[in-house]
């Protein structure tokens, strides 16, 4: 590559000399790159050296002891294959405090709690370079916290905002910056050496913006307790902060527990009986459709040429609903009488057992139980995912909606967004977005929710994109 003369025109096209334009920037960048490489080499070297030291100095049990404290669960065994080691091992070496009972080193009563790295530093101080000593001192005093990606330069690094202290910093990161979307959150420990930022331990998951509301709630708690939120305050709340990370991690990877309107675990049951007379069975089971007139139930029934009932479908109902006070009734199941078969469909084991007892009482031997077909919520979710993907692929391959249908869909989505602005949102503490933005913390929460919508929208079906409505909501809330 041809060398550019200091007095030559800058290749960026600014019209200035190279030495007065891009050369200082490149020199500054090269200097930071050099420091970062030295930091990375030091970090990699200590990852191996401190681990070896810990096993030799404190025995093989140290890692299980550290794991139990890290994971906040004394019954969970440590695994060498856990992908959480990406965060756990740096934490165990630089942040976990060894107490008087952790090793036979504590013969006196004046033992100070120290990390493994601090113990190593005290024993090998004169063998280490000034940079190595400072690296350990910086790292053991740096808290883990939540960093939102404000800007990303793939392959080079991030501009991060500490969501707890509300400070910003630049971090050089080569591989990790390749696939982290702007607006998402990293749980990490970041040090700054000679104005060069580097992440030491980073969680193996990228946290979506929706969870920023939980982080801001924690910030409020720390602020109320300490009066402000500084870096030193985070060290005092280390376990609480890590507990929030672990709970977010668990929520992200725990499938939702599906339940029916009674709160019972969702599990579809199709119960089959053999019957002799559809009319007799209907006459005795119609009481299950509480509050519904017989004429209404028979509206879609089918009869043979002689006028005998051959097929009818109707709901199993009860008045009201304990979770939804404004509901007049609750559909507990669905009954289908077809010739010599009675089929009852319900969505929980509890309802299945209840309806079986009712059938025994109401029909008194006029129905013979044959079999029950059961589908779990997990299998239903897998089927729904496959169907959703099939529909998405189909939509992507086919023509867009007609202008008329697209207009109807757009109007529906716009109405939903209008309602959202004035809807009480649990993530906002059950207040509306329009009210939440009046408070600085609430404003940040609303912005995080909109950022989360935007990220999800990037993966949505092309015919269901909502970016323009997200932009509209931002404008209405003054967040553009």
């Amino acid at each position: 590559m041809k060398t550019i003369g200091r007095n030559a025109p800058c290749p960026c096209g600014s019209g200035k000399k190279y030495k007065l334009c891009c050369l200082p920037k490149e020199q500054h960048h090269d200097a930071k790159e050099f420091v970062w490489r030295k930091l990375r080499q030091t970090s990699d070297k200590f990852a191996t050296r401190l681990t070896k030291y810990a096993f030799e100095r404190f025995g093989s049990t140290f890692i299980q002891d550290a794991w139990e404290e890290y994971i906040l669960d004394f019954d969970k065994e440590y695994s060498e294959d856990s992908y959480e080691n990406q965060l756990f091992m740096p934490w165990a070496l630089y942040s976990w405090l060894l107490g008087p009972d952790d090793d036979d080193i504590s013969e006196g009563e004046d033992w100070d709690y120290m990390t493994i790295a601090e113990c190593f530093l005290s024993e090998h101080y004169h063998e280490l370079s000034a940079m190595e000593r400072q690296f350990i001192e910086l790292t053991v005093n740096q808290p883990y916290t939540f960093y939102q990606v404000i800007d990303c330069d793939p392959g080079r690094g991030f501009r991060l905002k500490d969501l707890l202290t509300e400070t910003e910093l630049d971090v050089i990161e080569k591989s990790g910056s390749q696939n982290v979307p702007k607006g998402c959150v990293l749980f990490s420990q970041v040090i700054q050496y000679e104005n060069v930022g580097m992440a030491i331990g980073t969680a193996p998951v990228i946290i979506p913006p929706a969870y920023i509301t939980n982080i801001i709630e924690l910030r409020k708690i720390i602020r109320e307790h300490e009066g402000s939120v500084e870096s030193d305050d985070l060290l005092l709340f280390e376990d609480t902060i890590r507990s929030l990370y672990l709970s977010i991690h668990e929520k992200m990877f725990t499938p939702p527990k599906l339940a029916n309107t009674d709160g019972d675990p969702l599990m579809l049951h199709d119960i089959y009986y053999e019957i002799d007379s559809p009319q007799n069975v209907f006459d005795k089971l119609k009481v299950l459709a509480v509050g519904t007139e017989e004429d209404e139930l028979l509206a879609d029934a089918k009869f043979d040429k002689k006028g005998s009932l051959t097929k009818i479908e109707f709901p199993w109902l009860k008045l009201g609903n304990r979770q939804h006070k404004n509901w007049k009734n609750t559909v507990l199941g669905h009954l289908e009488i077809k010739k010599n078969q009675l089929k009852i469909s319900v969505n929980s084991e509890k309802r299945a057992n209840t309806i079986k007892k009712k059938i025994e009482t109401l029909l008194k031997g006029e129905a013979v139980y044959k079999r029950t077909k059961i589908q779990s919520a997990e299998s239903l979710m897998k089927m729904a995912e496959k169907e959703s993907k099939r529909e998405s692929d189909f939509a992507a391959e086919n023509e867009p909606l007609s202008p008329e249908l697209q207009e109807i869909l757009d109007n529906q989505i716009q109405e939903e967004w209008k309602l959202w602005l004035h809807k009480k949102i649990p993530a906002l503490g059950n207040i509306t977005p329009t009210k939440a933005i009046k408070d600085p913390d609430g404003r940040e929460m609303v912005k995080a929710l909109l950022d989360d919508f935007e990220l999800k929208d990037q993966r949505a079906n092309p015919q269901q994109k909502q970016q323009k409505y997200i932009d509209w909501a931002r404008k209405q809330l003054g967040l553009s």
Side-chain angles (χ1 to χ4, degrees):
M1 185 175 179
K2 186 178 178 180
T3 303
I4 303 170
R6 289 172 53 82
N7 292 311
C10 189
C12 75
S14 66
K16 298 179 181 179
K17 291 183 179 181
Y18 181 47
K19 67 180 181 181
L20 299 176
C21 189
C22 289
L23 178 59
K25 298 176 187 176
E26 291 173 3
Q27 290 174 334
H28 178 67
H29 176 263
D30 290 344
K32 293 185 73 172
E33 283 278 332
F34 175 77
V35 173
W36 178 82
R37 284 195 296 271
K38 294 287 289 182
L39 281 174
R40 178 52 63 195
Q41 291 169 3
T42 302
S43 177
D44 292 344
K45 181 175 76 172
F46 277 143
T48 302
R49 193 173 178 185
L50 288 178
T51 301
K52 182 181 178 182
Y53 167 81
F55 276 107
E56 292 175 350
R57 188 73 176 83
F58 306 109
S60 59
T61 60
F62 96 89
I63 201 162
Q64 177 62 33
D65 294 337
W67 175 254
E68 289 174 354
E69 188 166 335
Y70 167 84
I71 209 72
L72 303 174
D73 185 346
F74 293 99
D75 295 321
K76 193 167 184 178
E77 290 292 324
Y78 169 75
S79 170
E80 292 182 359
D81 299 325
S82 174
Y83 64 92
E84 191 67 23
N85 283 332
Q86 177 179 321
L87 179 62
F88 164 66
M89 285 307 298
W91 178 89
L93 297 174
Y94 294 102
S95 300
W96 178 52
L97 292 173
L98 292 157
D101 298 325
D102 289 315
D103 191 71
D104 60 359
I105 55 176
S106 55
E107 296 178 359
E109 296 182 357
D110 58 346
W111 168 256
D112 290 328
Y113 284 82
M114 299 172 67
T115 66
I116 289 171
E118 286 174 311
C119 291
F120 176 85
L121 178 62
S122 67
E123 295 180 17
H124 300 273
Y125 187 86
H126 296 291
E127 302 170 22
L128 303 177
S129 68
M131 182 181 187
E132 289 173 333
R133 292 193 213 102
Q134 190 172 357
F135 176 85
I136 290 177
E137 290 167 352
L138 284 171
T139 306
V140 297
N141 289 296
Q142 186 61 36
Y144 281 84
T145 183
F146 296 93
Y147 293 99
Q148 184 179 24
V149 178
I150 303 300
D151 199 7
C152 180
D153 187 358
R156 298 185 69 172
F158 305 106
R159 178 72 177 173
L160 301 177
K161 177 184 178 181
D162 184 336
L163 290 169
L164 294 178
T165 64
E166 301 183 78
T167 56
E168 295 186 12
L169 72 163
D170 293 309
V171 171
I172 297 177
E173 176 56 55
K174 303 294 185 179
S175 59
S177 59
Q178 298 285 356
N179 58 357
V180 180
K182 181 180 175 181
C184 286
V185 177
L186 303 174
F187 183 69
S188 182
Q189 180 191 48
V190 175
I191 65 167
Q192 282 193 299
Y193 178 88
E194 295 183 1
N195 295 318
V196 175
M198 187 182 77
I200 304 299
T202 302
V205 295
I206 298 172
I207 301 172
Y211 290 99
I212 291 177
T213 57
N214 303 92
I215 299 166
I216 293 174
E217 288 297 340
L218 175 58
R219 186 173 76 199
K220 290 180 182 179
I221 293 171
I222 299 175
R223 187 190 297 143
E224 289 172 3
H225 190 273
E226 299 296 322
S228 63
V229 185
E230 306 294 338
S231 183
D232 290 345
D233 299 323
L234 303 189
L235 291 171
L236 298 174
F237 285 82
E238 180 192 6
D239 288 348
T240 305
I241 294 169
R242 191 171 70 261
S243 177
L244 176 58
Y245 155 70
L246 293 170
S247 68
I248 290 173
H249 189 176
E250 184 177 9
K251 288 176 184 176
M252 287 175 61
F253 293 94
T254 301
K257 294 182 179 180
L258 301 181
N260 60 21
T261 53
D262 286 338
D264 302 323
L266 196 64
M267 186 172 288
L268 295 190
H269 289 66
D270 289 331
I271 309 166
Y272 295 88
Y273 291 88
E274 184 180 313
I275 60 174
D276 291 327
S277 170
Q279 185 65 57
N280 288 344
V281 170
F282 170 68
D283 289 340
K284 293 180 179 179
L285 296 184
K286 63 186 179 184
V287 295
L288 295 174
V290 177
T292 309
E293 297 293 333
E294 183 174 344
D295 291 344
E296 186 178 344
L297 297 177
L298 290 169
D300 295 321
K302 293 184 179 180
F303 300 85
D304 61 18
K305 294 180 180 180
K306 297 180 181 179
S308 299
L309 180 66
T310 58
K311 182 181 178 181
I312 187 170
E313 298 180 32
F314 58 97
W316 171 28
L317 303 172
K318 76 171 183 179
L319 297 177
N321 184 275
R322 67 183 184 185
Q323 291 190 11
H324 304 276
K325 303 303 182 183
N326 59 329
W327 287 16
K328 293 182 179 180
N329 55 49
T330 301
V331 178
L332 300 177
H334 183 82
L335 290 86
E336 179 187 32
I337 299 171
K338 186 178 180 181
K339 295 183 179 179
N340 297 111
Q341 178 180 276
L342 165 64
K343 176 185 173 183
I344 305 171
S345 300
V346 294
N347 60 12
S348 73
E349 182 179 7
K350 183 178 179 180
R351 289 181 182 178
N353 293 333
T354 300
I355 196 63
K356 283 180 181 179
K357 292 178 182 178
K358 288 184 177 292
I359 294 300
E360 291 176 4
T361 302
L362 294 171
L363 296 185
K364 295 180 180 177
E366 291 189 40
V368 179
Y369 171 78
K370 303 300 291 184
R371 69 184 189 279
T372 299
K373 180 181 177 182
I374 302 174
Q375 283 184 286
S376 67
E378 288 76 13
S379 66
L380 292 172
M381 288 180 68
K382 289 179 181 178
M383 289 173 61
E385 288 173 1
K386 289 181 180 179
E387 182 63 20
S388 176
K389 185 179 185 304
R390 187 192 70 79
E391 290 180 356
S392 178
D393 292 343
F394 178 82
E397 294 170 1
N398 284 271
E399 295 293 326
L401 297 175
S402 68
E404 293 80 11
L405 288 176
Q406 189 64 55
E407 184 179 0
I408 292 172
L409 179 61
D410 288 346
N411 288 336
Q412 289 177 339
I413 295 174
Q414 189 169 10
E415 285 302 315
E416 290 176 3
W417 274 101
K418 287 180 180 178
L419 291 172
W420 184 82
L421 294 179
H422 305 283
K423 182 180 179 181
K424 292 182 179 180
I425 309 296
L428 299 176
N430 284 320
I431 62 175
T432 67
T434 52
K435 185 176 180 180
I437 60 169
K438 296 177 181 179
D439 170 76
D441 289 335
R443 189 179 185 84
E444 192 175 350
M445 288 179 173
V446 174
K447 183 181 181 301
L449 292 180
L450 291 170
D451 287 345
D452 194 67
F453 291 147
E454 186 169 8
L455 282 175
K456 290 175 180 175
D457 188 63
Q458 293 172 6
R459 301 188 294 270
N461 185 308
Q463 295 178 0
Q464 298 173 345
K465 293 286 187 179
Q466 299 189 34
Q467 184 62 56
K468 64 179 180 181
Y469 304 107
I470 297 171
D471 293 339
W472 174 85
R474 284 196 178 108
K475 185 175 181 180
Q476 296 298 310
L477 295 166
L479 297 173
S480 299

